[in-house]
C-alpha cells in the first residue's frame, strides 16, 4: 500500500550539508548530532550517512540513544550528555560510548559503574542548563584530576554549549567563550588536558571560528535548516526532508461553507477543498491552523480551519484536483519547515522533531 503520508529523507543532501559544515571548521573534528531520531529524520540512516560523509563523532542526548547506535552497528566515537541518577553508565562504557559528567557527583556515579569509563566534562559557561559552574566546576576538576591519577576514568574531553549562538552579536557569546577558556585553564592547572575541547553548535560553526576549537557539534544545519531564520552566513544548506501526503478527499463547496472544528474558516466564494490525511498526532502543529500552507503543483494551498488529530483541510481554489493527488507540506518545491514554524509560532527545530505518528519515512541516497 502506498503511504498516505511520507517523509522523504534525502541522504545525499544530508551528506552534502555535513561536508559543507566540515569545510567551515577545517581544523576541527565534526560531530553529527543525531539525537531525537536525528531531529525527526531517522537516526540509524542519518548516523550511517554522517559517517559516510566523514563525521568522526556522533552526538546524542541519552545513553539509550547511544546504545541504539551501537545496536545498529556503529562502532565509531559517540558522546552522550544527558543522564539522570541511576542511568546505565555501565552499559554505555561497555559499549565504548563516551559519557558526560556535569558534576563531581555524576562523575562518581560514572566511575562507580566501573571499567575505566571515557568521560567528558561539561562546564556551564552561561546556558544554565547542565554542566558545572563556579565552585561546582572546581569540585568537578578536582574529582577528574583524582580519577585520572587513580586511573579510574579517562578524561577525554571538556565542553560547553552556547545560549545565543544564533545571535552572533549577542554579548553572551564572547562571555561564554571567556568562561570556557578559564575553565579549561583551571582544568589544565590541575593536570588534566583532554584532547577534545568543544563549544560550537551549528550557528557557531557557521559564524564563530574562534569557538571551533577541536570539534564542532552540528545538528540543525546538517538537516538543511538555518539555525535561526535571521542568521546570516554564506553556506548553502540543502533541505533534507520533504513531507508529502496524498489528498484523501477533494470536494467542491459553495461560498459560505465553514470548515473543521469550531468553524474558524468560512469560504468567501465557491472553491475546492482538499483533505490532507495528517494532523497533530503526526506532529503537524495545531497552532498553524488557518496559517500554514502546502504546495499543490506550483500553487500554494492555505490551511483552512483547525488542524485536527489525523487531518487538515486546504483550499485548492479552482485547481482540478483529484483524490490521491500529492501535496508537499514542506520541502523543496513547497513551503519550508521554517514557513510552518512561522505559521505555528515556533522554530523549525520543533517542526521536524515532532513529526511522527503514522507518517512513513523513506530514504533516498542510501548506500
Ligand atoms: C549539547 C548539544 N550540542 C550540539 C547541539 C546541536 O545544536 P544545533 O542543532 O543548533 O546545531 C545540541 C542540540 O541542541 C546539543 O544539545
Amino acid at each position: 500500500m502506498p503511504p498516505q503520508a511520507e517523509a522523504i529523507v534525502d541522504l545525499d543532501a544530508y551528506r552534502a550539508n555535513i561536508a559543507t559544515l566540515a569545510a567551515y571548521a577545517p581544523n576541527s573534528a565534526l560531530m553529527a548530532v543525531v539525537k531525537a531520531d536525528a531531529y525527526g529524520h531517522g537516526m540509524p540512516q542519518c548516523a550511517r550517512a554522517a559517517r559516510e560523509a566523514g563525521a568522526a563523532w556522533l552526538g546524542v542526548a541519552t545513553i539509550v540513544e547511544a546504545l541504539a547506535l551501537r545496536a545498529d552497528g556503529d562502532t565509531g566515537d559517540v558522546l552522550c550528555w544527558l543522564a539522570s541518577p541511576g542511568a546505565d553508565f555501565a552499559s554505555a562504557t561497555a559499549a565504548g560510548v563516551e559519557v558526560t559528567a556535569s558534576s563531581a557527583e555524576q562523575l562518581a556515579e560514572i566511575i562507580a559503574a566501573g571499567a575505566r569509563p571515557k568521560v567528558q566534562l561539561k562546564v556551564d559557561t552561561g546556558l544554565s542548563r547542565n554542566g558545572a559552574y563556579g565552585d561546582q566546576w572546581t569540585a568537578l576538576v578536582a574529582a577528574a584530576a583524582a580519577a585520572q591519577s587513580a586511573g579510574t576514568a579517562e578524561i577525554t574531553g571538556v565542553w560547553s554549549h552556547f545560549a545565543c549562538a544564533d545571535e552572533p552579536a549577542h554579548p553572551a557569546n564572547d562571555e561564554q567563550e571567556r568562561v570556557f577558556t578559564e575553565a579549561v585553564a583551571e582544568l589544565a592547572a590541575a593536570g588534566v588536558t583532554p584532547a577534545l575541547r568543544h563549544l560550537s553548535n551549528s550557528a557557531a560553526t557557521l559564524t564563530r571560528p574562534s569557538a571551533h576549537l577541536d570539534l564542532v557539534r552540528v545538528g540543525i544545519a546538517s538537516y538543511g535548516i538555518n539555525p535561526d531564520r535571521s542568521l546570516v552566513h554564506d553556506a548553502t544548506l540543502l533541505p533534507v526532508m520533504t513531507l508529502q501526503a496524498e489528498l484523501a478527499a477533494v470536494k467542491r463547496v459553495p461560498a459560505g461553507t465553514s470548515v473543521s472544528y469550531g468553524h474558524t474558516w468560512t469560504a468567501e466564494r465557491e472553491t475546492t477543498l482538499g483533505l490532507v490525511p495528517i494532523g497533530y498526532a503526526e506532529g503537524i502543529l495545531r497552532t498553524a491552523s488557518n496559517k500554514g500552507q502546502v504546495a499543490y503543483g506550483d500553487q500554494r494551498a492555505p490551511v483552512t480551519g483547525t488542524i485536527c488529530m489525523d487531518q487538515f483541510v486546504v483550499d485548492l481554489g479552482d485547481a482540478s484536483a483529484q483524490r490521491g493527488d500529492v501535496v508537499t507540506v514542506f520541502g523543496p518545491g513547497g513551503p519550508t519547515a521554517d514557513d510552518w514554524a512561522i505559521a505555528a509560532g515556533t522554530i523549525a527545530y520543533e517542526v521536524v522533531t515532532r513529526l511522527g505518528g503514522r507518517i512513513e519515512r523513506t530514504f533516498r541516497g542510501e548506500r
Side-chain angles (χ1 to χ4, degrees), residues 31 33 35 39 60-61 81 122 127 129 159-161 198-205 216-223 227 349:
M31 175 186 288
V33 179
K35 62 180 179 163
Y39 291 42
V60 289
W81 50 70
K122 181 157 188 203
L127 180 60
R129 239 167 43 174
W159 67 275
S160 191
H161 195 46
H198 49 111
L199 186 54
S200 287
N201 56 4
S202 294
T205 302
V216 294
R217 306 185 305 266
V218 296
I220 197 74
S222 68
Y223 303 103
Y349 290 73

Side-chain angles (χ1 to χ4, degrees), residues 1 3 16 18 21 39 47 65 73 78 80 95 113 123 140 146 165 170 198 228 233 256 263 293 295 324 341 346 366:
M1 216 168 66
I18 297 263
L21 292 161
Y39 291 42
E65 291 176 303
V78 174
C80 60
V123 53
L140 179 55
H170 197 294
H198 49 111
D228 184 277
H233 53 79
H263 277 181
Q293 294 192 336
T346 184
E366 249 180 316

Side-chain angles (χ1 to χ4, degrees), residues 11-31:
L11 296 171
D12 289 325
Y14 179 63
R15 283 186 288 260
N17 293 336
I18 297 263
T20 297
L21 292 161
Y24 270 76
N27 302 315
S28 312
L30 182 139
M31 175 186 288

Side-chain angles (χ1 to χ4, degrees), residues 111-151:
I111 291 171
R116 198 161 189 266
K118 288 189 175 180
V119 184
Q120 303 205 16
L121 308 178
K122 181 157 188 203
V123 53
D124 177 8
T125 54
L127 180 60
S128 306
R129 239 167 43 174
N130 226 345
Y133 79 104
D135 292 348
Q136 296 173 341
W137 178 247
T138 302
L140 179 55
V141 166
Q148 181 177 266
S149 306

Side-chain angles (χ1 to χ4, degrees), residues 152-168:
T152 50
E154 188 182 342
I155 310 298
T156 56
V158 51
W159 67 275
S160 191
H161 195 46
F162 278 120
C164 307
D166 52 358
E167 298 171 64

Side-chain angles (χ1 to χ4, degrees), residues 67-359:
L67 295 178
L69 288 170
R70 289 293 187 246
D72 187 57
D74 189 90
T75 55
D77 286 324
V78 174
L79 176 68
C80 60
W81 50 70
L82 189 60
S84 304
D88 190 359
F89 291 116
S91 292
T93 301
V97 166
E98 301 205 8
V99 299
T100 298
S102 276
S103 64
E105 188 188 3
Q106 193 168 42
L107 180 58
E109 280 173 30
I110 295 166
I111 291 171
R116 198 161 189 266
K118 288 189 175 180
V119 184
Q120 303 205 16
L121 308 178
K122 181 157 188 203
V123 53
D124 177 8
T125 54
L127 180 60
S128 306
R129 239 167 43 174
N130 226 345
Y133 79 104
D135 292 348
Q136 296 173 341
W137 178 247
T138 302
L140 179 55
V141 166
Q148 181 177 266
S149 306
T152 50
E154 188 182 342
I155 310 298
T156 56
V158 51
W159 67 275
S160 191
H161 195 46
F162 278 120
C164 307
D166 52 358
E167 298 171 64
H170 197 294
N173 295 316
D174 285 342
E175 177 61 9
Q176 283 195 261
E177 267 192 69
R178 188 190 67 72
V179 174
F180 188 71
T181 305
E182 272 184 20
V184 172
E186 189 178 341
L187 190 63
V192 183
T193 52
L196 287 179
R197 300 156 301 152
H198 49 111
L199 186 54
S200 287
N201 56 4
S202 294
T205 302
L206 289 165
T207 63
R208 193 162 259 271
S210 60
H212 289 171
L213 308 177
D214 303 307
L215 175 112
V216 294
R217 306 185 305 266
V218 296
I220 197 74
S222 68
Y223 303 103
I225 295 171
N226 202 4
D228 184 277
R229 61 186 67 109
S230 63
L231 188 72
V232 178
H233 53 79
D234 56 9
T236 303
L237 300 171
L238 308 172
V240 173
M241 189 192 288
T242 304
L243 180 60
Q244 292 186 339
E246 288 186 352
L247 294 174
V250 173
K251 60 176 71 147
R252 192 76 184 158
V253 297
T257 302
S258 295
V259 172
S260 192
Y261 293 127
H263 277 181
T264 59
W265 184 88
T266 300
E268 285 173 4
R269 60 179 189 88
E270 183 180 317
T271 193
T272 297
L273 301 178
L275 183 64
V276 183
I278 47 178
Y280 59 78
E282 275 64 48
I284 304 300
L285 297 164
R286 191 172 173 276
T287 42
S289 296
N290 286 313
K291 295 194 194 119
Q293 294 192 336
V294 304
Y296 176 72
D298 296 338
Q299 178 190 329
R300 291 296 160 94
V303 174
T304 55
T306 305
I307 293 172
C308 311
M309 189 184 293
D310 323 300
Q311 50 200 296
F312 63 93
V313 177
V314 293
D315 182 6
L316 296 162
D318 294 326
S320 59
Q322 312 277 336
R323 283 182 70 222
D325 284 355
V326 171
V327 294
T328 300
V329 180
F330 61 80
T336 62
D338 194 49
D339 289 333
W340 275 85
I342 292 167
T346 184
I347 54 175
Y349 290 73
E350 191 180 0
V351 171
V352 288
T353 54
R354 275 187 183 259
L355 290 183
R358 293 152 285 189
I359 292 172

